[in-house]
Amino acid sequence: MAKKINFDKVVNRIGSDSMKFANLQERYGNEDVIPMWVADMDFKSCKKIIKALENRAKEGVFGYPYNDESIYNSIYEWQKRRYGWSIKKGSISLASGVVNSIAFIVQAFTKEKDSIIIQTPVYHPFARLIKENDRKVSANSLVLKDGKYKIDFKDFEKRAKEAKAFILCNPHNPTGRVFSKEELLKLAQICIDNDVLIISDEIHSDFLYDGLKHIPIASLSKHISKQTITVNAPSKSFNIAGLMTSYVIIENKKLEDKYKKYIKKFELMDNNIFGTLALKTAYNGCEEWMDEMVAYLQKNRDFALEFIKDEIPLVDVIKPEATYLLWIDFRKLGLTPSKLEKFLITKAKIGLNNGIIYGKEGAGFARLNFGTQNDVLKTALKNLKKAINEFIV
Ligand SMILES: Cc1ncc(COP(=O)(O)O)c(C=O)c1O
């Protein structure tokens, strides 16, 4: 594939209403800190998306939207082409965000005090939304062995006997794990045996490295699909998270009716015209852009892994099979989570996510977002090396 897009070009995001780049002084006490936390990327989106949005903006009329079949078709085609999943027609509902969709699903399908399984350390809004909805977090800790996170199936099975739902994060944030077909089949079978609803968050499904292929859990069998609600979005893949457009796939008519009835209560039936236009344009015309971007990210990942191994031996790093998130193990520094965060901000001048927010297993870890220009990543890692060298003398 010929290289066409210049992902090396630094984009100034300060002053662009970006969560990641806003209020650096207030957040870090220093404007020099490189923000590498919240999961969006520092690249401009695909040109075709930008053009389509420009053209729509020029129309100047932004009335209520109408979603014809073309938006659903673009999602069917994407799922089929990218992951080999032929979704039953009529089983897609548009939504604004993946996280708020999961919150609605939790409300619609579980009751107060019900247990919901998550695999910690995991994307922190899962535990938050479970608790905010007065449900109970059932934490099936992933086990770190020889640099790779594995599932404790015995513990999962025990928890499934009590739980009503399981929020699967695949690919897994923050560990970067891509669960294998065998692992997914095993998880699904336990959920089926115990009638646990699988809520599968597959938002990172386009960022797989080393030739790995994403497997939607619901695509594994009709039986599994009947037990599953899948949530996905083009927001990470095309860097359009601010357009608040995602989708929910439910191939089980009974579950679908229940979900739709619940959503209707809140009159949540419309979508943003810019978001749906971006989704369609992305899935229909930006695949090459995305493949090039993922190849760039793989180079960033490999660079970071090598740099840390060669230059910062006091720090361990988990090799992500997917996502643009690097889960770094700083435990050898012996710092508490708050001291580690302070050290990274004040000494290394990098703003990472504190590992502890993902669960107790994340104590001593931090998550670095490498969805950025290679030069920015290099500077961040050089800063880290210097800070650690000074720490140990
Ligand atoms: C696993 C996972 N799910 C969901 C989201 C956010 O999705 P949304 O912005 O659509 O709510 C993120 C963002 O980082 C994520 O990592």
Side-chain angles (χ1 to χ4, degrees), residues 66-77:
Y66 170 71
N67 294 316
D68 64 15
E69 273 305 295
S70 63
I71 180 125
Y72 300 101
N73 286 339
S74 60
I75 298 169
Y76 290 123
E77 291 304 320

Side-chain angles (χ1 to χ4, degrees), residues 38-40 96-102 122-126 168-173 201-204 232-233 235-236 241 244-246 324-325 367:
V38 66
D40 65 24
S96 57
V98 164
V99 173
N100 61 33
S101 296
I102 297 175
V122 75
Y123 181 53
H124 53 298
F126 291 174
L168 168 67
C169 190
N170 185 40
H172 190 270
N173 168 10
D201 178 340
E202 303 188 1
I203 198 168
H204 292 282
N232 207 330
S235 44
K236 302 279 171 215
M244 310 304 293
T245 300
S246 68
Y324 46 80
L325 309 165
R367 192 191 77 169

Side-chain angles (χ1 to χ4, degrees), residues 16 31 85-86 95 159 166 174 185 197 225 232 282 330 335 378 380:
S16 67
E31 297 224 326
W85 185 18
S86 296
R159 291 174 185 282
F166 160 44
L185 283 170
L197 175 71
S225 187
N232 207 330
F330 291 99
L335 296 171
K378 263 186 197 148

Side-chain angles (χ1 to χ4, degrees), residues 89-318:
K89 287 271 167 185
S91 49
I92 297 170
S93 301
L94 295 175
S96 57
V98 164
V99 173
N100 61 33
S101 296
I102 297 175
F104 283 123
I105 295 163
V106 161
Q107 287 178 5
F109 292 92
T110 66
K111 296 193 302 296
E112 282 185 13
K113 299 202 170 64
D114 279 350
S115 281
I116 299 175
I117 305 174
I118 55 174
Q119 295 179 301
T120 48
V122 75
Y123 181 53
H124 53 298
F126 291 174
R128 188 175 68 212
L129 72 88
I130 292 170
K131 288 181 201 155
E132 290 288 343
N133 283 292
D134 300 313
R135 273 68 167 168
K136 274 196 316 227
V137 172
S138 179
N140 170 234
S141 300
L142 293 174
V143 182
L144 182 57
K145 201 161 174 253
D146 304 326
K148 193 166 171 167
Y149 280 92
K150 307 247 166 75
I151 299 171
D152 180 346
F153 282 102
K154 247 188 164 167
D155 179 72
F156 187 85
E157 195 160 12
K158 204 176 82 204
R159 291 174 185 282
K161 292 192 194 311
E162 311 273 309
K164 288 285 179 285
F166 160 44
I167 308 176
L168 168 67
C169 190
N170 185 40
H172 190 270
N173 168 10
T175 67
R177 259 312 311 271
V178 171
F179 296 119
S180 69
K181 185 175 172 183
E182 290 66 36
E183 286 172 308
L184 294 174
L185 283 170
K186 228 166 146 177
L187 287 172
Q189 194 55 52
I190 297 171
C191 289
I192 290 169
D193 291 345
N194 294 280
D195 198 17
V196 172
L197 175 71
I198 303 167
I199 306 165
S200 186
D201 178 340
E202 303 188 1
I203 198 168
H204 292 282
S205 54
D206 291 316
F207 299 92
L208 271 64
Y209 304 121
D210 307 319
L212 283 172
K213 293 260 178 281
H214 171 66
I215 306 172
I217 191 166
S219 72
L220 286 172
S221 77
K222 282 216 165 74
H223 210 45
I224 297 172
S225 187
K226 291 239 171 310
Q227 194 73 23
T228 303
I229 298 183
T230 304
V231 274
N232 207 330
S235 44
K236 302 279 171 215
S237 318
F238 299 93
N239 212 22
I240 51 174
L243 294 174
M244 310 304 293
T245 300
S246 68
Y247 53 92
V248 176
I249 304 169
I250 315 177
E251 292 192 298
N252 177 333
K253 185 82 177 74
K254 240 170 92 182
L255 297 186
E256 191 194 359
D257 288 348
K258 194 167 175 179
Y259 171 76
K260 284 194 169 153
K261 191 162 172 238
Y262 194 78
I263 289 298
K264 237 184 179 160
K265 275 195 201 180
F266 304 95
E267 296 290 339
L268 277 169
M269 309 304 281
D270 289 331
N271 272 89
N272 179 297
I273 52 166
F274 285 96
T276 46
L277 176 65
L279 184 155
K280 249 193 312 197
T281 313
Y283 280 2
N284 295 344
C286 295
E287 205 162 345
E288 241 182 88
W289 178 92
M290 201 194 72
D291 286 337
E292 244 187 83
M293 186 263 304
V294 173
Y296 186 90
L297 290 175
Q298 181 165 326
K299 279 199 197 139
N300 264 3
R301 179 201 67 164
D302 293 344
F303 168 78
L305 292 174
E306 217 168 292
F307 186 94
I308 293 173
K309 189 168 136 264
D310 295 346
E311 311 275 341
I312 326 179
L314 198 61
V315 163
D316 290 311
V317 64
I318 311 301

